[in-house]
Amino acid sequence: MATSNTDLSLTAQAWADIVIKRWEEKVVRLKVYKTGALLKSFEAHVSTQANGNPAFIEFAFNYYGKFVDMGVGNGITKNMAGNGQRRVKQWYSKTFFSQVKRLGEIISEKYAYKAQLSIITNITTDGTK
């Protein structure tokens, strides 16, 4: 992975875009699209702190999508999921949590790179080699 980009806000936005793309792919693969409304509803917003670092990332989509992910709704409870007319279609949970883990790895790499740059900059500006 190229770590030369140290802008964490851009990284967070790129990550959020990837999450949405993965969700869209999963929704299509699992055929969770009666009207296409769920696919059209995906949005992400990265809120940044004053220094430009991301404070949090918000995702929005039609709420019923979570019920589809769990295989519940319309009289079907979690205990009944997968045993009747409704099938569990995990487009959200597994995808999201695996991507959150990946974001942690990316951010760790970015901070490590920024620390290296800081050390190199301080050594060269002090005249010490």
Side-chain angles (χ1 to χ4, degrees), residues 30-71:
L30 294 172
K31 299 178 181 171
V32 183
Y33 54 82
K34 199 172 226 177
T35 65
L38 181 60
L39 276 172
K40 293 174 193 168
S41 71
F42 291 126
E43 292 181 19
H45 177 73
V46 177
S47 294
T48 56
Q49 300 169 340
N51 63 0
N53 285 338
F56 59 90
I57 304 168
E58 292 178 297
F59 290 97
F61 53 85
N62 287 346
Y63 189 62
Y64 76 86
K66 283 194 170 190
F67 298 119
V68 174
D69 180 71
M70 295 182 285

Side-chain angles (χ1 to χ4, degrees), residues 74-92:
N74 225 8
I76 307 295
T77 65
K78 184 69 176 157
N79 293 336
M80 299 163 62
N83 295 332
Q85 315 134 317
R86 287 187 182 239
R87 207 170 56 89
V88 175
K89 295 182 179 181
Q90 292 184 326
W91 65 269
Y92 166 79

